[in-house]
Amino acid sequence: DHSNGSFNLKALSGGSGYKFGVLAKIVNYMKTRHQRGDTHPLTLEEILDETQHLDIGLKQKQWLMSEALVNNPKIEVVDGKYAFKPKYNLKDKKALLRLLDKHDQRGLGGILLEDIEEGLPNAQKAIKALGDQIIFVNRPDKKKILFYNDKSCHFAVDEEFQKLWRSIPVDSMDEEKIEEYLKRQGISSMQETGPKKIAPIQRRKKPASQKKRRFKTHNDHLVGVLKDYSDVVPGKP
C-alpha cells in the first residue's frame, strides 16, 4: 500500500515474487541491524523469526539456504550462519580515519558517505567525533563524499600565484586545444614523451617486366620462310 508505506509480501503475484520479496526484506533487515551495531551472525531460523517469516514453506527455506543468501553480494556465511557484508567493514571512527587516509595516500580520492554509513555502526556519531579530520564534498548528483583532511598539505600560496592560476581559463578547452597551446609555448605533452610507433616501410611493387615474350619455335625447317608479326599492334594495318 503506497499510501501508508506498508508492504504485504503475500499480496505479490506469483511464487517467485513472494520469494524475492522475502529475500529483499531479509537483506534490508540484516543491513539495519548491522548499522545499529548488531554485527554477530544469525541462523536462518533466527532471521525468519526476527523478520516474522516463520510461516514460509520448506521450498522457500531451501532456496534461501542453497541459493538466495549464499549468492547475495550483501550477505556472507560465517560458520553456517548469516551476517551482513558491507563494502567497507568498519568497527569505529579510527578504522574510518585509517581507511580515508589510505585512500588519500593511494590517490583514490574519497568514499561515498552511503558506503560508510552502510558498513560503520552508528556512522553519524563517529563522523561527528572526527570533526575537521575529514572533509565533505557534494557531487553534482547531491551524493556526499568523504575525504581525509591531510593537514600537512595546508600551506599559504602567494596571492600573485593565485591570480595567475585563476587567470588561465581551461573550461572551454578540450585535449587537442590544450596540446596545441603547450606546443606554442614550447612545452612537450605527455603523448610526445611516450614510445613512438614506427610505421612499417611500404615497399613499392616493381612494374611488370616489359621484355618481349619469347616463343620456342618447333618448325626449325621453316626458318627464313615464316614472318615475325610480334611487333605489329592490333587494329593497325
Side-chain angles (χ1 to χ4, degrees):
D1 186 356
H2 296 285
S3 61
N4 57 16
S6 63
F7 184 60
N8 184 4
L9 288 171
K10 291 187 177 181
L12 291 172
S13 61
S16 61
Y18 174 72
K19 286 196 305 182
F20 284 103
V22 172
L23 175 63
K25 191 171 182 181
I26 287 174
V27 173
N28 187 58
Y29 169 75
M30 297 297 285
K31 175 183 176 180
T32 302
R33 67 183 295 273
H34 183 95
Q35 289 174 328
R36 66 172 182 248
D38 297 333
T39 58
H40 61 278
L42 299 175
T43 65
L44 179 59
E45 293 297 326
E46 289 172 332
I47 293 172
L48 295 176
D49 182 25
E50 295 191 22
T51 56
Q52 299 180 356
H53 284 107
L54 286 173
D55 59 339
I56 68 170
L58 185 60
K59 287 185 177 181
Q60 283 82 3
K61 286 184 181 180
Q62 187 63 32
W63 175 74
L64 287 170
M65 289 189 296
S66 61
E67 296 182 40
L69 293 177
V70 295
N71 294 324
N72 192 290
K74 289 300 179 182
I75 299 293
E76 64 178 339
V77 182
V78 182
D79 297 329
K81 297 182 179 182
Y82 305 93
F84 185 69
K85 185 180 180 181
K87 186 173 182 178
Y88 303 104
N89 196 0
L90 305 168
K91 294 182 179 180
D92 50 30
K93 62 180 182 181
K94 291 182 179 179
L96 171 59
L97 196 62
R98 284 195 299 268
L99 176 65
L100 293 172
D101 186 12
K102 188 182 292 184
H103 257 60
D104 181 67
Q105 290 179 18
R106 292 180 178 177
L108 300 175
I111 300 175
L112 280 170
L113 174 61
E114 61 187 41
D115 289 339
I116 292 172
E117 290 177 333
E118 179 188 76
L120 177 61
N122 304 310
Q124 288 300 326
K125 183 178 179 181
I127 291 170
K128 187 176 180 180
L130 290 174
D132 63 352
Q133 296 183 76
I134 56 178
I135 299 174
F136 280 96
V137 174
N138 291 323
R139 289 198 326 192
D141 59 2
K142 297 183 180 180
K143 289 187 177 182
K144 291 185 177 181
I145 306 176
L146 266 65
F147 289 84
Y148 176 70
N149 187 10
D150 189 354
K151 295 182 180 180
S152 64
C153 296
H154 293 186
F155 53 88
V157 179
D158 191 88
E159 185 66 26
E160 183 180 354
F161 288 105
Q162 293 185 37
K163 289 180 180 179
L164 285 171
W165 176 269
R166 293 166 184 157
S167 66
I168 303 175
V170 293
D171 292 341
S172 60
M173 296 181 70
D174 55 22
E175 291 184 4
E176 292 183 2
K177 290 182 180 179
I178 292 173
E179 189 173 356
E180 289 176 5
Y181 174 80
L182 292 174
K183 286 181 178 179
R184 289 199 300 269
Q185 302 300 319
I187 303 172
S188 298
S189 65
M190 292 295 292
Q191 295 178 359
E192 294 179 351
T193 60
K196 295 182 178 180
K197 293 183 179 180
I198 301 174
I201 299 173
Q202 295 183 350
R203 297 183 178 180
R204 295 181 62 185
K205 292 183 179 180
K206 293 182 179 180
S209 177
Q210 300 297 326
K211 290 182 180 180
K212 296 179 180 179
R213 296 177 64 185
R214 294 181 179 180
F215 298 92
K216 189 174 181 181
T217 305
H218 296 282
N219 299 326
D220 295 333
H221 62 285
L222 295 176
V223 175
V225 178
L226 297 175
K227 292 183 179 181
D228 184 8
Y229 294 97
S230 59
D231 293 331
V232 178
V233 178
K236 291 185 180 182

